Amino acid sequence: MDDQNPERNGVSKDSSQSQLSISDLALPKKPKRNKFALACSILASMTSILLGYDTGVMSGAVIYIKDELKISDVQIEILVGTINLYSLVGAAVAGRTSDWIGRRYTIIFASAIFFAGALLMGFATNYAFLMVGRFVAGIGVGYALMIAPVYTAEISPTASRGFLTSFPEVFINAGVLLGYVSNYAFSKFPRNLGWRFMLGLGAIPSIFLALGVLAMPESPRWLVMQGRLGDAKRVLNKISDSLEESQIRLADIKEAAGLPENCNDDVVSVPKRSHGEDVWKELFLRPTPAVRHILLAGIGIHFFQQASGIDAVVLYSPRIYEKAGIKNDTDKLLATIAVGFSKTIFILVATFLLDRIGRRVLLLTSCGGMIISLMGLAVGLTIIDHSNGQKLTWAIALCILMTLSSVAFFSIGMGPIAWVYSSEIFPLRLRAQGCSMGVAVNRFTSGVVLMTFISLYERITIGGAFFLYTGIAILAWIFFYTLLPETQGRTLEEMEALFGTFFRWRSTINELNKKEGNSDGFQMATSSQT
């Protein structure tokens, strides 16, 4: 740390940095670079729209699929939930794929797979054919969910990383809303065509995504891992707020990749570990205390994000509204659009707060709000269940309000921060495959929730199911409060130092702040420039 402090204060031992001219640091260049990083983050994050669209559109499509294909509730649970289990395969191999072919081409690969899956679902003639399409689409979803936050975190300047890495969740929510709108738009079509258009339409965004990604640069951190320092320098000059910041970021990345500071050739040899070898051993067999803590935090935040039942609220919202007393199919689909709007609006609020008030405040507020909302939904549905057929307008209103409230609170914290946090805490050598593990846990947990929700509420009532999710949300709040340190304002290369003491992470941060001294002043100055 002592070796890096001079650089953090804008003074470098490297003579090349001391010769920076005023024109190199001219202010007019900053907006262009910020816009370029923003554009790259948006394009990469748009891959997440694939999952959002699939989640939203399937909530309405199953109404018509059940009628035409004559399938049972258990088959619906399998149809809805298995895409998340299938995405485990994509997420599990996406880390190694992105280390092999690069972050950018992995995004294109994800789009191509989902394109094929959407077409197969759209042309499905029976349940088995439909499940094949779900499998292919699930692989694409797993790839997309892993690579979007990793690429965005690696390309973002430190001061705006929280804002930019929240974009994948923004597009998941936008996709959910588009899915709901698609449900309503095609609900007027003949039943045998409507749901096929709903599902098949997901192929169209994949084409534009694959073409758009061709204009993006490769991640500078991946380029350094391949020994392509010259290419990494050019990318960093475009995505950094200043030339000085670009040089500092390159020095940090080289150190994390195991390259000496004086190594400045355009192409260099790199340690074999930088290509992904032995990563699984370091993650699971011989982890350091810091890596063990990071893995627990990265997997835990994804587990609790889904175990609290948000996907049951979003995907089964038509059934929730039906239980609450709304019987007409069109009215149910209109009500679900309100869920999509609520998610989209509040995720936009979260993107502007992540770098201002930090991850922890938003995460704890979000989880606390979800506890109250899920409890209110559970109470309202339980009262309606025991009303003996009597229409209780206030209870119906409570259920609708708590449904909207739960997705709103989820969107301001637990939704985006799971992706932001897990993509920034893993060390460079472990990032791609560590994030893939988090995504795998996320999708597995979501799949279990979706594949058991109908059976669960048939056994313990729908109100009982949401009481269960409320209890899990309480455990999530305790986990977040005790084990997750604040990462706001830290570079990706500094993250590992925050972890390793588990429940005593606060004392670790206090010690780091004392050792760094003027480093905090540098971070505050960087933050104020953006």
Side-chain angles (χ1 to χ4, degrees):
M1 294 299 295
D2 292 337
D3 292 340
Q4 294 181 8
N5 277 340
E7 291 183 354
R8 299 260 177 242
N9 289 293
V11 180
S12 173
K13 296 179 181 178
D14 191 338
S15 61
S16 64
Q17 288 191 23
S18 64
Q19 297 173 359
L20 288 173
S21 66
I22 295 176
S23 61
D24 288 331
L25 304 175
L27 290 177
K29 293 182 181 180
K30 188 180 84 168
K32 182 178 180 180
R33 287 170 179 156
N34 285 338
K35 289 180 180 178
F36 186 72
L38 176 67
C40 293
S41 300
I42 289 174
L43 281 172
S45 302
M46 284 180 68
T47 57
S48 300
I49 208 170
L50 304 177
L51 170 65
Y53 183 83
D54 183 88
T55 300
V57 79
M58 188 56 73
S59 69
V62 292
I63 298 174
Y64 307 103
I65 293 172
K66 182 178 182 181
D67 286 345
E68 186 187 349
L69 300 184
K70 310 300 180 185
I71 58 178
S72 66
D73 280 344
V74 173
Q75 288 176 303
I76 288 178
E77 284 183 319
I78 295 172
L79 175 66
V80 168
T82 48
I83 191 170
N84 296 294
L85 300 184
Y86 299 150
S87 66
L88 286 173
V89 181
V93 299
R96 187 55 191 265
T97 303
S98 69
D99 280 344
W100 178 38
I101 66 174
R103 314 317 197 206
R104 191 172 66 136
Y105 287 112
T106 302
I107 295 174
I108 296 174
F109 190 47
S111 300
I113 296 173
F114 190 87
F115 174 82
L119 286 184
L120 287 172
M121 290 190 291
F123 286 103
T125 54
N126 53 49
Y127 184 73
F129 195 161
L130 188 58
M131 288 298 293
V132 171
R134 294 293 279 173
F135 174 76
V136 176
I139 301 294
V141 165
Y143 266 91
L145 284 178
M146 176 268 157
I147 195 58
V150 168
Y151 177 88
T152 307
E154 292 187 344
I155 208 164
S156 304
T158 300
S160 55
R161 190 178 61 245
F163 172 69
L164 297 179
T165 51
S166 65
F167 281 9
E169 184 68 15
V170 172
F171 284 105
I172 288 177
N173 286 303
V176 169
L177 178 58
L178 286 175
Y180 287 156
V181 172
S182 176
N183 285 154
Y184 183 72
F186 291 111
S187 65
K188 308 298 182 183
F189 279 47
R191 284 183 175 263
N192 65 325
L193 292 178
W195 67 267
R196 289 184 169 85
F197 277 107
M198 293 175 191
L199 299 179
L201 198 65
I204 295 178
S206 304
I207 301 173
F208 293 103
L209 287 173
L211 294 175
V213 169
L214 292 175
M216 292 162 41
E218 184 52 81
S219 158
R221 287 174 169 83
W222 183 82
L223 292 171
V224 171
M225 288 165 61
Q226 308 308 306
R228 295 164 56 183
L229 293 186
D231 292 336
K233 290 176 188 176
R234 285 186 283 274
V235 174
L236 283 168
N237 287 341
K238 291 182 179 180
I239 63 174
S240 298
D241 292 338
S242 67
L243 185 58
E244 181 184 27
E245 182 189 344
S246 170
Q247 293 172 337
I248 292 172
R249 290 174 71 180
L250 180 61
D252 285 344
I253 296 169
K254 286 196 296 185
E255 181 181 358
L259 298 175
E261 185 181 354
N262 59 358
C263 183
N264 294 311
D265 295 336
D266 282 352
V267 179
V268 299
S269 60
V270 295
K272 290 184 177 181
R273 187 176 62 177
S274 294
H275 292 283
E277 287 81 359
D278 298 326
V279 167
W280 296 116
K281 292 181 181 178
E282 191 169 352
L283 276 173
F284 295 105
L285 298 182
R286 295 191 301 272
T288 64
V291 170
R292 191 180 296 114
H293 187 180
I294 288 170
L295 189 63
L296 176 63
I299 289 179
I301 196 170
H302 276 292
F303 169 77
F304 282 114
Q305 186 207 52
Q306 292 300 326
S308 57
I310 187 62
D311 276 2
V313 175
V314 173
L315 213 151
Y316 287 114
S317 54
R319 284 188 177 242
I320 295 172
Y321 289 138
E322 182 178 352
K323 287 290 183 179
I326 302 174
K327 302 299 182 184
N328 183 274
D329 286 348
T330 303
D331 290 342
K332 284 187 284 187
L333 294 178
L334 276 174
T336 60
I337 292 177
V339 173
F341 271 114
S342 180
K343 282 178 64 64
T344 303
I345 290 171
F346 281 92
I347 184 61
L348 291 175
V349 173
T351 60
F352 291 99
L353 296 178
L354 273 165
D355 289 314
R356 295 185 180 183
I357 66 176
R359 283 53 157 164
R360 277 178 57 82
V361 173
L362 280 179
L363 187 61
L364 294 174
T365 301
S366 165
C367 192
M370 278 200 69
I371 291 169
I372 296 171
S373 301
L374 291 170
M375 177 70 75
L377 183 58
V379 170
L381 290 169
T382 300
I383 290 172
I384 291 173
D385 260 352
H386 292 82
S387 64
N388 297 321
Q390 182 182 357
K391 187 173 182 179
L392 301 175
T393 304
W394 69 268
I396 295 173
L398 176 65
C399 290
I400 295 174
L401 178 62
M402 290 298 100
T403 301
L404 298 177
S405 175
S406 64
V407 298
F409 274 111
F410 177 85
S411 296
I412 66 168
M414 290 179 70
I417 292 175
W419 306 105
V420 172
Y421 202 86
S422 62
S423 67
E424 65 186 4
I425 61 176
F426 284 97
L428 175 61
R429 64 190 182 278
L430 308 176
R431 185 170 301 133
Q433 296 183 50
C435 286
S436 73
M437 289 303 302
V439 174
V441 170
N442 184 290
R443 293 298 85 202
F444 176 79
T445 309
S446 175
V448 171
V449 168
L450 293 176
M451 291 176 67
T452 59
F453 179 71
I454 297 176
S455 301
L456 182 66
Y457 81 62
E458 286 177 349
R459 285 171 173 77
I460 65 173
T461 75
I462 192 167
F466 283 104
F467 277 122
L468 175 61
Y469 295 143
T470 302
I472 295 173
I474 293 172
L475 294 177
W477 194 95
I478 296 171
F479 177 85
F480 299 152
Y481 182 80
T482 56
L483 282 168
L484 271 58
E486 179 59 71
T487 58
Q488 179 192 18
R490 300 277 178 175
T491 68
L492 294 181
E493 286 66 40
E494 293 172 334
M495 291 296 174
E496 194 169 357
L498 303 179
F499 293 84
T501 52
F502 296 91
F503 299 102
R504 300 189 302 276
W505 59 265
R506 290 172 180 81
S507 60
T508 301
I509 289 183
N510 289 335
E511 291 175 7
L512 285 173
N513 288 337
K514 290 177 182 177
K515 290 180 181 178
E516 290 173 0
N518 291 333
S519 176
D520 288 341
F522 173 85
Q523 290 170 0
M524 291 174 64
T526 304
S527 214
S528 65
Q529 291 174 6
T530 302

